[in-house]
Amino acid sequence: GENVEQHPSTLSVQEGDSAVIKCTYSDSASNYFPWYKQELGKRPQLIIDIRSNVGEKKDQRIAVTLNKTAKHFSLHITETQPEDSAVYFCAAMGNTDKLIFGTGTRLQVFP
Amino acid sequence: GAGVSQSPRYKVAKRGQDVALRCDPISGHVSLFWYQQALGQGPEFLTYFQNEAQLDKSGLPSDRFFAERPEGSVSTLKIQRTQQEDSAVYLCASSFVRATEAFFGQGTRLTVV
């Protein structure tokens, strides 16, 4: 079955710097890759997603890149702000419709 | 309501007790997922419904766990004879169709004592 690995588990950056989180997946049939942000005690919320027919997608300060050959995808946050501090999860969905999550990255942005 | 609603928000159960967790998805959403999230971990897949059909239950940890969605809307996750290792947040998510945004409920925090 699908397995999603996520790195790093924690990431600390200075406000204004960029943050990059990387994920790899095992199922070559996976075709949908969302990223979720979860603040302490709250529900996960989608911040951006990408489908397998594109290699990159951007939404203001957030971008996601996908390399289907290498089976990895990354989240890039530019000009980080303290309110970006949260846990970020990548996920992958294949033909089985199962959405499998990575183990999460705790991002801390210091003012 | 506008979002996915789960009840109860918190549940304390004595070991051996049966519990039932409810999920009200967004109206019209076909897909419904249940996840278990331990403290500091990512959501672990439990089961998936498409309308009333349970298409995948491979993540259910044991036969003490049972989920249903009889009319294709509200879903219930039942845990029989709860054990301490069942303590976690149980998250429900729904999406309009497959491979579209999954909206999460706020979860039910289950504590087994």
Side-chain angles (χ1 to χ4, degrees):
Chain A
E2 175 70 279
N3 183 48
V4 178
E5 294 191 356
Q6 183 172 347
H7 301 280
S9 56
T10 60
L11 180 59
S12 296
V13 299
Q14 204 74 30
E15 182 177 0
D17 287 351
S18 294
V20 180
I21 302 170
K22 298 182 179 182
C23 289
T24 59
Y25 60 98
S26 60
D27 185 357
S28 57
S30 291
N31 51 27
Y32 176 62
F33 308 91
W35 285 88
Y36 282 81
K37 175 182 180 182
Q38 188 174 29
E39 297 176 4
L40 190 63
K42 297 193 174 178
R43 72 188 81 191
Q45 293 196 298
L46 182 79
I47 55 171
I48 194 167
D49 57 10
I50 192 168
R51 288 175 175 76
S52 58
N53 56 345
V54 291
E56 185 174 357
K57 184 176 178 180
K58 191 172 180 180
D59 182 4
Q60 299 183 335
R61 298 186 297 109
I62 294 172
V64 57
T65 58
L66 171 64
N67 183 328
K68 284 212 72 180
T69 303
K71 290 190 284 187
H72 68 68
F73 56 115
S74 301
L75 177 71
H76 304 253
I77 306 174
T78 58
E79 301 170 31
T80 53
Q81 301 167 4
E83 52 265 37
D84 294 330
S85 297
V87 179
Y88 291 80
F89 294 100
C90 63
M93 176 185 280
N95 292 335
T96 61
D97 294 352
K98 219 189 296 192
L99 188 61
I100 302 299
F101 284 81
T103 49
T105 297
R106 181 173 300 280
L107 173 65
Q108 288 184 300
V109 180
F110 293 98
Chain B
V4 179
S5 177
Q6 290 187 247
S7 60
R9 286 291 315 279
Y10 305 93
K11 177 69 179 177
V12 178
K14 290 184 178 178
R15 193 169 53 185
Q17 185 179 351
D18 297 349
V19 298
L21 313 181
R22 178 187 169 105
C23 173
D24 280 87
I26 294 172
S27 178
H29 278 196
V30 169
S31 300
L32 186 145
F33 304 87
W34 281 99
Y35 290 88
Q36 181 190 61
Q37 187 173 29
L39 193 63
Q41 301 295 317
E44 293 280 344
F45 173 83
L46 294 177
T47 187
Y48 161 65
F49 290 86
Q50 191 174 93
N51 294 309
E52 70 278 4
Q54 189 174 20
L55 298 187
D56 192 320
K57 55 181 180 179
S58 61
L60 296 177
S62 75
D63 58 9
R64 296 185 296 103
F65 287 70
F66 172 77
E68 60 183 4
R69 194 186 185 197
E71 297 179 358
S73 56
V74 172
S75 178
T76 304
L77 176 67
K78 297 179 180 178
I79 309 173
Q80 297 178 322
R81 304 181 303 282
T82 52
Q83 305 294 316
Q84 281 192 318
E85 61 262 29
D86 299 336
S87 296
V89 174
Y90 290 84
L91 292 166
C92 174
S94 71
S95 65
F96 181 56
V97 291
R98 71 173 303 275
T100 57
E101 179 176 357
F103 293 84
F104 280 84
Q106 289 201 305
T108 293
R109 181 177 297 278
L110 173 65
T111 304
V112 182
V113 298

Coordinates of all heavy atoms in Angstrom, one line a residue, chain B residues 36-68:
Chain B
Q36 N -7.4 8.2 12.7 CA -7.0 8.2 14.1 C -5.7 9.0 14.2 O -4.8 8.8 13.4 CB -6.8 6.8 14.5 CG -6.4 6.7 16.0 CD -5.9 5.2 16.4 OE1 -5.0 4.7 15.8 NE2 -6.7 4.6 17.2
Q37 N -5.7 10.0 15.1 CA -4.5 10.8 15.2 C -4.0 10.8 16.7 O -4.7 11.3 17.6 CB -4.7 12.3 14.8 CG -3.5 13.1 14.8 CD -3.7 14.5 14.2 OE1 -4.7 15.1 14.3 NE2 -2.6 15.0 13.6
A38 N -2.9 10.1 16.9 CA -2.3 10.1 18.2 C -1.5 11.4 18.4 O -1.2 12.1 17.4 CB -1.3 8.9 18.3
L39 N -1.2 11.7 19.6 CA -0.5 13.0 19.9 C 0.8 13.1 19.2 O 1.6 12.2 19.3 CB -0.3 13.1 21.5 CG 0.1 14.4 22.0 CD1 -1.0 15.5 21.7 CD2 0.4 14.4 23.5
G40 N 1.0 14.2 18.5 CA 2.2 14.4 17.8 C 2.4 13.6 16.5 O 3.5 13.6 16.0
Q41 N 1.4 12.9 16.1 CA 1.5 12.1 14.9 C 0.6 12.6 13.8 O -0.3 13.4 14.0 CB 1.1 10.7 15.2 CG 2.0 10.0 16.3 CD 3.4 9.9 15.9 OE1 3.7 9.5 14.8 NE2 4.3 10.2 16.8
G42 N 0.8 12.1 12.6 CA -0.1 12.4 11.5 C -1.3 11.6 11.6 O -1.4 10.5 12.2
P43 N -2.4 12.0 10.9 CA -3.6 11.2 10.8 C -3.4 9.8 10.2 O -2.8 9.8 9.1 CB -4.6 12.1 9.9 CG -4.0 13.4 10.0 CD -2.5 13.3 10.1
E44 N -3.8 8.8 10.8 CA -3.7 7.4 10.3 C -5.0 7.0 9.8 O -6.0 7.0 10.4 CB -3.2 6.5 11.4 CG -1.8 6.7 12.0 CD -0.8 6.1 11.1 OE1 -1.1 5.3 10.2 OE2 0.4 6.5 11.3
F45 N -5.0 6.5 8.5 CA -6.2 6.1 7.8 C -6.8 4.9 8.5 O -6.2 4.0 8.9 CB -5.8 5.7 6.4 CG -7.0 5.1 5.6 CD1 -7.9 5.9 5.0 CD2 -7.1 3.7 5.5 CE1 -9.0 5.4 4.3 CE2 -8.1 3.2 4.8 CZ -9.1 4.0 4.2
L46 N -8.2 5.0 8.7 CA -8.9 3.9 9.3 C -9.8 3.3 8.2 O -9.7 2.1 7.9 CB -9.8 4.4 10.4 CG -9.1 4.9 11.7 CD1 -10.1 5.4 12.7 CD2 -8.2 3.8 12.3
T47 N -10.7 4.1 7.6 CA -11.7 3.6 6.7 C -12.2 4.7 5.8 O -12.1 5.9 6.0 CB -12.8 2.9 7.4 OG1 -13.7 2.2 6.5 CG2 -13.7 3.9 8.2
Y48 N -12.8 4.3 4.6 CA -13.3 5.2 3.6 C -14.6 4.7 3.0 O -14.8 3.5 2.7 CB -12.2 5.3 2.5 CG -12.7 5.8 1.2 CD1 -13.1 7.1 1.0 CD2 -12.7 5.0 0.0 CE1 -13.5 7.6 -0.2 CE2 -13.1 5.5 -1.2 CZ -13.5 6.8 -1.3 OH -13.9 7.3 -2.5
F49 N -15.5 5.7 2.9 CA -16.8 5.4 2.3 C -17.0 6.2 1.0 O -16.6 7.4 0.9 CB -17.9 5.8 3.2 CG -18.1 4.9 4.4 CD1 -17.3 5.2 5.6 CD2 -19.0 3.9 4.5 CE1 -17.4 4.4 6.7 CE2 -19.1 3.1 5.6 CZ -18.3 3.3 6.7
Q50 N -17.6 5.6 0.1 CA -18.1 6.4 -1.1 C -19.7 6.2 -1.0 O -20.2 5.1 -1.3 CB -17.6 5.9 -2.4 CG -17.8 6.8 -3.6 CD -17.1 6.3 -4.8 OE1 -17.6 5.5 -5.6 NE2 -15.9 6.7 -5.0
N51 N -20.4 7.3 -0.8 CA -21.8 7.2 -0.4 C -21.9 6.2 0.7 O -21.3 6.3 1.7 CB -22.6 6.8 -1.6 CG -22.6 7.9 -2.7 OD1 -22.8 9.1 -2.4 ND2 -22.2 7.6 -3.9
E52 N -22.8 5.2 0.6 CA -23.0 4.3 1.7 C -22.1 3.1 1.7 O -22.0 2.3 2.6 CB -24.5 3.8 1.7 CG -24.8 2.9 0.6 CD -25.2 3.6 -0.7 OE1 -25.0 4.8 -0.7 OE2 -25.6 2.9 -1.7
A53 N -21.3 3.0 0.6 CA -20.4 1.8 0.4 C -19.1 2.0 1.1 O -18.4 3.0 0.9 CB -20.2 1.6 -1.0
Q54 N -18.7 1.1 2.0 CA -17.4 1.1 2.6 C -16.4 0.4 1.7 O -16.3 -0.8 1.6 CB -17.5 0.4 4.0 CG -16.2 0.6 4.8 CD -16.4 0.0 6.2 OE1 -17.2 -0.9 6.5 NE2 -15.6 0.4 7.2
L55 N -15.6 1.3 1.0 CA -14.8 0.7 0.0 C -13.4 0.3 0.5 O -12.7 -0.5 -0.1 CB -14.5 1.8 -1.1 CG -15.7 2.2 -1.9 CD1 -15.4 3.2 -3.0 CD2 -16.5 1.1 -2.4
D56 N -13.0 0.7 1.7 CA -11.7 0.3 2.2 C -11.8 0.4 3.8 O -12.1 1.5 4.3 CB -10.6 1.3 1.7 CG -9.2 0.8 2.0 OD1 -9.0 0.3 3.1 OD2 -8.4 0.9 1.1
K57 N -11.5 -0.7 4.4 CA -11.5 -0.6 5.9 C -10.2 -1.2 6.4 O -10.1 -1.7 7.5 CB -12.7 -1.4 6.5 CG -12.9 -2.8 6.0 CD -14.1 -3.4 6.7 CE -14.4 -4.8 6.2 NZ -15.5 -5.4 6.9
S58 N -9.2 -1.2 5.5 CA -7.9 -1.8 5.8 C -7.2 -1.2 7.0 O -6.3 -1.8 7.6 CB -7.0 -1.8 4.6 OG -6.7 -0.4 4.2
G59 N -7.5 0.1 7.4 CA -6.8 0.7 8.5 C -7.4 0.5 9.8 O -6.9 0.9 10.9
L60 N -8.6 -0.2 9.9 CA -9.2 -0.4 11.2 C -8.3 -1.4 12.0 O -7.9 -2.4 11.5 CB -10.6 -1.1 11.0 CG -11.6 -0.2 10.3 CD1 -12.9 -0.9 10.1 CD2 -11.8 1.1 11.2
P61 N -7.9 -1.0 13.2 CA -6.8 -1.7 13.9 C -7.2 -3.1 14.4 O -6.3 -4.0 14.5 CB -6.5 -0.9 15.2 CG -7.3 0.4 15.0 CD -8.3 0.2 13.9
S62 N -8.5 -3.3 14.6 CA -8.9 -4.7 15.1 C -10.4 -4.8 14.8 O -11.1 -3.9 14.3 CB -8.7 -4.8 16.6 OG -9.6 -4.1 17.3
D63 N -10.9 -6.0 15.0 CA -12.4 -6.2 14.8 C -13.2 -5.6 15.9 O -14.4 -5.7 15.9 CB -12.7 -7.7 14.7 CG -12.2 -8.5 15.9 OD1 -11.9 -7.9 16.9 OD2 -12.3 -9.7 15.9
R64 N -12.6 -4.8 16.8 CA -13.4 -4.1 17.8 C -13.9 -2.8 17.2 O -14.7 -2.1 17.7 CB -12.5 -3.8 19.0 CG -12.1 -5.0 19.8 CD -11.4 -4.6 21.1 NE -10.1 -3.9 20.9 CZ -10.0 -2.6 21.0 NH1 -11.0 -1.8 21.4 NH2 -8.8 -2.0 20.8
F65 N -13.3 -2.4 16.0 CA -13.6 -1.2 15.3 C -14.6 -1.5 14.2 O -14.3 -2.4 13.4 CB -12.4 -0.5 14.8 CG -11.5 0.2 15.8 CD1 -10.8 -0.6 16.7 CD2 -11.4 1.5 15.9 CE1 -9.9 0.0 17.7 CE2 -10.6 2.1 16.8 CZ -9.8 1.4 17.7
F66 N -15.6 -0.6 14.1 CA -16.7 -0.8 13.1 C -17.2 0.5 12.7 O -17.4 1.4 13.5 CB -17.8 -1.7 13.7 CG -19.0 -1.8 12.8 CD1 -19.0 -2.7 11.7 CD2 -20.1 -1.1 13.1 CE1 -20.1 -2.8 10.9 CE2 -21.3 -1.2 12.3 CZ -21.2 -2.1 11.2
A67 N -17.3 0.7 11.4 CA -17.9 2.0 10.9 C -19.0 1.7 9.9 O -19.0 0.7 9.2 CB -16.8 2.8 10.2
E68 N -19.9 2.7 9.9 CA -21.1 2.5 9.0 C -21.5 3.9 8.5 O -21.3 4.9 9.2 CB -22.2 1.8 9.7 CG -22.8 2.5 10.9 CD -23.9 1.7 11.6 OE1 -24.2 0.6 11.1 OE2 -24.4 2.2 12.6

